[in-house]
Amino acid sequence: MPMAIRIHRTGGPEVLTYEEVSVAAPMAGEALIRHTAIGLNFIDTYFRSGLYPAPNGLPFIPGNEGAGVVVAVGEGVSHVAPGDRVAYVGPLGAYAQERLVPADRLVKLPNAIDDRTAAGMMLKGMTARYLLRRTFRVGPETTLLFHAAAGGVGLIAGQWAAHLGATVIGTVGSDDKADLARAHGYTHVINYNRENFSARVKEITDGKGCDVVYDSVGRDTYPGSLDCLKPLGLWVSFGQSSGPIADFNLGLLAQKGSLFATRPTLFSYIAARSDLEATAQDLFDVVAGGVVSIGINQEYALADAATAHADLEGRRTTGTTVLLPG
């Protein structure tokens, strides 16, 4: 029987258990895949801790992203076939050697993209794509701030935004991470442990502020992120790695310049099959074309997922991390 990580109770990394699971034959509209690599993302810790409730309750297998080979398909599935190399961002269940996936969530991998790169980039890369090309359309006139610039989404977004001609400002927590961000497209990098990021952004922009702030940190960067925006600027809150914002004051948007705010998720932007395909194709193009480099900076065995979670939450990781199912 295949092995998987299951969560029987929510909590810290210690609740991740490695055990045998049974996997049924695919039903209509499903595909059975054998993972070759699995992506690790901060959202995985939200489900593990209980901050985000698992849709089908306990126990559950975490993980939203993976790459592998199609083993079998159910009735009505025609766009993938056994033997195809595929990747996906989809429903929970990725922390497993084998799993069933709704076939309409699978995209075929081009030869130029290897499995580990695909597993580590689908969620982060497609997140960067919708943030930069749809939530706010970044171009040469754009000045933006991206928090957690040395994180998985941040490193992809920095390269992509620089390619689009933007002035790209990032925040990090150490000098090593600052160097990493600069090597991935960031024009200016702020170490928030040594500088007030809001004041520094004002200096960098000659008091004008940014057009858009991308904020996956949450509690620790609010409301400072709003002070980084020019009037009518957009605050994009797409995560909460430091904890949720306990009391969002809508009135601050008026006080700080008639600002806009949004709380987007990738799954809304790729709900339609056509949007999924377009988003994935844009990502494949920039990676295969050398515009965006995906650095797999950490690899862990699937059985060691608890260690991977502890390192991720302890901010001991940079860029992209994958779990290898063995």
Side-chain angles (χ1 to χ4, degrees), residues 169-184:
I169 307 169
T171 65
V172 297
S174 71
D175 291 340
D176 287 345
K177 290 185 176 182
D179 291 340
L180 187 62
R182 290 189 189 95
H184 287 77

Side-chain angles (χ1 to χ4, degrees), residues 211-231:
D211 298 286
V212 58
V213 172
Y214 295 108
D215 189 344
S216 64
V217 177
R219 183 173 57 203
D220 290 353
T221 48
Y222 176 82
S225 288
L226 303 182
D227 295 321
C228 298
L229 287 164
K230 62 178 59 173

Side-chain angles (χ1 to χ4, degrees), residues 259-272:
L259 304 178
F260 294 85
T262 185
R263 182 61 171 88
T265 69
L266 171 62
F267 302 104
S268 297
Y269 281 86
I270 60 170

Side-chain angles (χ1 to χ4, degrees), residues 19 54 59 63 70 81 95 103 112 119 126 129 132-133 141 159 183 195 207 219 245 248 252 271 285 304:
E19 58 190 64
V70 176
Y95 284 25
M126 292 200 296
R129 192 270 189 181
L132 300 177
R133 306 308 289 149
E141 304 303 317
Q159 297 172 80
E195 299 179 281
R219 183 173 57 203
I245 295 168
F248 175 66
L252 283 179
D285 288 347
D304 296 328

